[in-house]
């Protein structure tokens, strides 16, 4: 008799023992951002999908190759003119800061269509800014694999994360002409179980004192400093798990926009926000279209070969792709607003498509067939996530990886985590 992968005493005991407070999740109410706690649904599955070690190794190697392309592209993007960046969907308010922020991205998660049965191995998109699915790929897989008497897919993921995180915070402190031990380091996110829980977990990998707080407690003092409104303590180095495009539009309780004040602090070097504007340079879904539009001659021969091998054809023009494609908003996240067209007819679309995403310019990508996995007796669509970290010399090294699965064709923010082992 099968154990219920969605709701069983064994499942609750396992994920509670891992201190993973978001093994169940709540949908978020559109417009308010309030979690709908009465609609809690399972997220982490009581299951461990066995994967050949060769597959794990190949995804990691391919991810490092893609990371090299993205880091070369990052340097190109920051030197493009404003008009070009606007054409590729960068918000006008973000451009000055993207070009100013010289600290390279700290990390990113690549999403992959890794369909070995069909011979498809293509990176779908990159998520360098405000990434989720972090604990699961770094620590969670190891613990679940052990529970099911399987091997961890990767053994040193937490050491890789810790080394990179500490190096990046030290670099941020030097940018302010301070020692990292003299800086007030803070981690922040939206006040929900997954976001804030992940930040608490991430902060445990920083080797010195730090603070974790919900984002609503951040305040700006007269253009002089950012501070924690609960304690009055100023902040020097901030790791903010929050999208740039959301921050641009935020207002305070008096209706005043906050972006100008935050931008001013960054320009005056009163604060450094780790993995913020520099990472956002690679966040828009149009980046893959830009890589194709620039042409392979802009890339090293090694990186050009990687684009040919692993990047799906992507364009801002539907005509360039043809009548079979996947379309998504340039600033889309978690599948919002995406839809697939085959031979000119829509075949499936995201269940979550609020007006913020419907109004955006679209990017068109070669339609890929995602793999289907047998998960507890159900066939589900699978997307691989693979982590990369800055090694301190602005080269990206491979970290953890994992699988999100869905009963629909598009993995969204309520797709399940399916742990993996070897």
């Amino acid at each position: 008799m099968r154990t219920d992968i969605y709701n069983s005493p064994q499942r609750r005991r396992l994920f509670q023992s891992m201190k993973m407070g978001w093994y169940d999740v709540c949908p978020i109410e559109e417009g308010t951002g309030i979690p709908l706690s009465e609609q809690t649904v399972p997220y982490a599955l009581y299951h461990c999908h066995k994967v050949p070690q060769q597959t794990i190794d190949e995804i990691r190697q391919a991810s490092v190759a893609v990371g090299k392309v993205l880091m070369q592209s990052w340097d190109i993007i920051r030197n493009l003119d404003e008009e070009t960046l606007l054409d590729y969907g960068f918000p006008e308010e973000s451009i000055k800061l993207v070009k100013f922020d010289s600290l390279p991205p700290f990390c990113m998660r690549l999403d992959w269509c890794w369909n070995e049965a069909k011979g498809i191995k293509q990176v779908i998109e990159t998520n360098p800014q405000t990434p989720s699915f972090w604990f699961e790929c770094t620590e969670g897989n190891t613990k679940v694999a052990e529970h099911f008497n399987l091997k961890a897919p990767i053994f040193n993921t937490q050491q890789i994360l810790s080394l990179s995180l500490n190096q990046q915070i030290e670099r941020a402190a030097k940018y302010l002409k301070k020692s990292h031990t003299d800086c007030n380091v803070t981690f922040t996110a939206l006040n929900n179980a997954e976001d804030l829980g992940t930040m608490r977990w991430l902060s445990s990998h920083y080797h010195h004192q730090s603070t974790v707080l919900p984002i609503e407690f951040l305040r700006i003092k007269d253009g002089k400093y950012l501070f924690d409104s609960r304690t009055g303590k100023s902040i020097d180095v901030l790791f903010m798990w929050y999208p740039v495009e959301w921050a641009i539009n935020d207002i305070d309780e008096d209706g005043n926009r906050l972006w100008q004040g935050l931008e001013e602090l960054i320009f005056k070097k009163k604060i450094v926000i780790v993995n913020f504007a520099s990472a956002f340079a690679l966040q828009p879904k149009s980046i893959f279209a830009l890589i194709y539009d620039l042409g392979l001659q802009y890339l090293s021969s090694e990186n050009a070969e990687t684009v040919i091998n692993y990047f799906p054809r992507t364009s801002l023009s539907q005509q360039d792709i043809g009548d079979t494609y996947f379309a998504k908003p340039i600033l889309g996240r978690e599948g919002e607003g995406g839809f697939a067209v085959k031979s000119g007819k829509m075949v499936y679309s995201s269940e979550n498509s609020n007006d913020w995403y419907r109004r955006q310019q679209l990017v068109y990508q070669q339609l890929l067939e995602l793999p289907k996995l047998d998960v507890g007796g159900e066939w589900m669509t699978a997307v691989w996530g693979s982590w990369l970290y800055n090694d301190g010399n602005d080269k990206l090294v491979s970290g953890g990886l994992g699988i999100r699965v869905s009963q629909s064709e598009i993995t969204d923010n309520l797709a399940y985590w399916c742990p993996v082992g070897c």
Side-chain angles (χ1 to χ4, degrees), residues 331-384:
L331 297 177
R333 292 179 184 269
E334 298 178 322
E336 289 263 15
F339 60 92
V341 172
K342 196 168 186 177
S343 300
K345 295 183 179 180
M346 185 183 295
V347 288
Y348 56 85
S349 62
S350 170
E351 296 178 6
N352 304 313
S353 299
N354 67 35
D355 287 343
W356 163 256
Y357 298 102
R358 288 195 191 101
R359 291 195 300 266
Q360 289 182 27
Q361 181 182 357
L362 296 173
V363 64
Y364 302 88
Q365 194 170 75
Q366 173 188 344
L367 184 62
L368 303 172
E369 185 178 348
L370 293 166
K372 301 283 187 179
L373 300 182
D374 182 354
V375 182
E378 294 185 53
W379 287 96
M380 298 193 191
T381 304
V383 171
W384 279 90

Side-chain angles (χ1 to χ4, degrees), residues 23-225:
Y23 62 90
D24 291 332
V25 295
C26 306
I28 303 298
E29 184 178 49
E30 289 184 15
T32 68
I34 297 172
L36 303 172
S37 56
E38 72 281 2
Q39 299 180 26
T40 297
V41 294
Y43 166 61
L45 300 180
Y46 187 70
H47 180 80
C48 196
H49 182 71
K50 190 172 182 179
V51 181
Q53 188 65 56
Q54 181 179 345
T55 298
I56 298 293
D57 294 342
E58 190 177 349
I59 294 173
R60 296 183 75 200
Q61 291 164 6
S63 297
V64 169
V66 167
K68 290 179 181 178
V69 174
L70 293 171
M71 286 303 287
Q72 185 179 354
S73 302
W74 177 80
D75 201 40
I76 293 170
I77 289 163
R78 291 183 60 254
N79 288 290
L80 292 174
D81 60 73
E82 180 176 346
E83 184 179 355
T84 301
L85 293 176
L86 289 172
D87 288 343
Y88 282 89
F90 281 79
E92 184 175 3
E93 298 91 335
S94 73
I95 292 174
K96 189 176 178 182
L97 196 55
V98 163
K99 296 170 80 65
F100 174 84
D101 190 353
S102 60
L103 279 177
F106 152 57
C107 66
M108 64 184 67
R109 192 193 76 237
L110 305 179
D111 286 349
W112 284 90
C113 173
W114 198 270
N115 191 341
E116 292 179 310
K118 298 291 184 179
I120 302 170
K121 299 173 181 178
Q122 301 274 286
V123 60
I124 301 171
E125 61 189 38
T126 178
N127 294 281
Q129 205 258 326
T130 67
S132 57
F133 198 41
W134 206 340
F135 166 88
E136 297 89 320
C137 293
T138 308
E139 183 176 339
N141 280 326
T142 297
K143 292 188 173 181
V144 177
E146 290 172 354
H147 176 80
F148 284 96
N149 297 314
L150 295 174
K151 292 193 306 179
I154 308 163
F155 287 98
N156 61 344
T157 51
Q158 296 204 71
Q159 292 92 324
I160 295 169
L161 167 60
S162 293
L163 179 62
S164 178
L165 177 64
N166 282 272
Q167 286 176 333
Q168 199 74 358
I169 290 176
E170 288 176 23
R171 289 177 74 175
K174 287 180 181 176
Y175 183 77
L176 297 176
K177 295 183 168 55
K178 293 185 176 183
S179 165
H180 62 280
T181 55
D182 294 330
C183 287
N184 293 326
V185 177
T186 298
F187 295 80
T188 189
L190 289 170
N191 192 9
N192 61 60
E194 180 183 4
D195 292 12
L196 207 58
T198 300
M199 284 297 97
R200 290 193 182 100
W201 167 82
L202 179 65
S203 70
S204 71
H205 291 82
Y206 179 53
H207 296 157
H208 303 278
Q209 186 175 355
S210 65
T211 302
V212 181
L213 57 80
I215 199 166
E216 59 262 33
F217 292 114
L218 291 178
R219 295 288 188 276
I220 295 172
K221 176 65 175 176
D222 301 331
K224 295 177 180 177
Y225 56 86

Side-chain angles (χ1 to χ4, degrees), residues 217-273:
F217 292 114
L218 291 178
R219 295 288 188 276
I220 295 172
K221 176 65 175 176
D222 301 331
K224 295 177 180 177
Y225 56 86
L226 189 72
F227 68 99
D228 179 348
S229 65
R230 301 169 304 176
T231 64
K233 188 176 181 181
S234 64
I235 298 166
D236 300 298
V237 177
L238 180 68
F239 195 108
M240 184 162 67
W241 189 11
Y242 193 69
V244 163
E245 70 271 23
W246 294 2
I248 285 169
N249 294 291
D250 273 353
I251 57 175
D252 63 18
E253 55 270 18
D254 297 320
N256 301 312
R257 293 186 67 180
L258 301 172
W259 181 250
Q260 185 176 354
L262 183 63
E263 198 177 40
E264 183 182 358
L265 291 179
I266 296 171
F267 290 148
K268 290 181 176 178
K269 298 186 180 180
K270 301 286 188 180
I271 187 171
V272 173
I273 307 182

Side-chain angles (χ1 to χ4, degrees), residues 281-299:
L282 292 171
Q283 180 66 41
K285 309 311 175 191
S286 54
I287 294 306
F288 284 15
L290 175 60
I291 289 171
Y292 268 99
D293 290 346
L294 287 172
L296 300 181
Q297 69 271 18
Y298 280 83
L299 302 171

